[in-house]
Amino acid sequence: MQPRIPRQPAQDQGGIHADDDAGLGAELAAVVAGARRRVVRDGDRQVDTAHLLHSLIENDPEVRGVIGDAQLARLLGYLVQRSIGYGLRWQSGVEDSGALPALTSPEGKGDGGWSPVAAAAVEYARSRARRRGAARAHGVDLLAGLVGDPQSRAVEVLERAGVAAREVAVRIDGDDGLRDPGLENRTSSR
């Protein structure tokens, strides 16, 4: 009898280990695990920023608070629609804003790898936590990384659900004053 859930590789593409102990706490490790399960279940090519956003909203009450109750139901509805098939156009491509080279598997199948934008968002969360003096990144750190690239799928999802990504970034920055002037350097321009 075959297992119902396909086996995931031990290593990610390009040496990116977004869920290792280097800067992620148990909460974000759960977010990453949820995003990976979603990739396997949906047959997507790799973990992208929309997978991370969906898992983050499901797992982190602080992130839900930043989004706001009024917009949360609509955003979750949009994410569910995407996960049940309305986002199929994303399955055929790799999330790449153009800021970083794309990482693809030779077979082009869902192998648990990371889109360049998702990997950059996780790394941004780690660096943001270090600037704050924390040993581990929190959900809001990852959310800041997700909304930092205006061409990411997470930003597209937020905007389509009526949530202004820039306003989310302002709410995050207003809470802790950790605005990273270099964030725009890692993002692409429209």
Side-chain angles (χ1 to χ4, degrees):
M1 174 177 244
Q2 283 188 321
R4 290 177 53 159
I5 299 175
R7 193 170 226 189
Q8 295 183 24
Q11 250 186 22
D12 297 327
Q13 296 173 334
I16 299 165
H17 299 278
D19 61 342
D20 66 11
D21 286 341
L24 295 183
E27 296 85 10
L28 282 186
V31 167
V32 168
R36 283 188 169 167
R37 282 190 302 273
R38 193 164 265 108
V39 166
V40 171
R41 184 192 66 221
D42 296 346
D44 291 335
R45 289 181 172 205
Q46 55 191 204
V47 175
D48 66 26
T49 58
H51 294 116
L52 288 171
L53 177 65
H54 196 160
S55 188
L56 189 59
I57 289 170
E58 287 179 336
N59 288 288
D60 193 314
E62 187 178 4
V63 166
R64 290 191 299 270
V66 170
I67 300 294
D69 291 337
Q71 298 170 315
L72 193 57
R74 185 171 178 180
L75 176 57
L76 282 171
Y78 187 83
L79 285 164
V80 167
Q81 285 180 353
R82 177 190 183 257
S83 70
I84 62 173
Y86 290 114
L88 289 177
R89 66 182 176 83
W90 285 341
Q91 288 181 352
S92 64
V94 173
E95 177 183 40
D96 182 20
S97 68
L100 300 168
L103 303 173
T104 58
S105 70
E107 300 84 24
K109 296 179 182 171
D111 64 355
W114 290 84
S115 77
V117 182
V122 171
E123 190 52 44
Y124 177 79
R126 288 179 175 142
S127 68
R128 190 172 190 279
R130 285 190 298 270
R131 284 193 314 278
R132 195 178 66 246
R136 305 270 184 216
H138 293 245
V140 173
D141 297 318
L142 180 55
L143 182 61
L146 294 175
V147 299
D149 188 332
Q151 293 182 337
S152 73
R153 289 183 180 160
V155 168
E156 181 180 347
V157 165
L158 286 166
E159 297 288 337
R160 286 183 184 240
V163 179
R166 205 163 258 307
E167 288 179 21
V168 170
V170 167
R171 277 184 242 147
I172 293 168
D173 293 335
D175 289 343
D176 56 26
L178 286 175
R179 179 96 177 122
D180 180 6
L183 183 61
E184 287 77 27
N185 292 339
R186 82 162 175 90
T187 63
S188 57
S189 59
R190 286 201 180 251

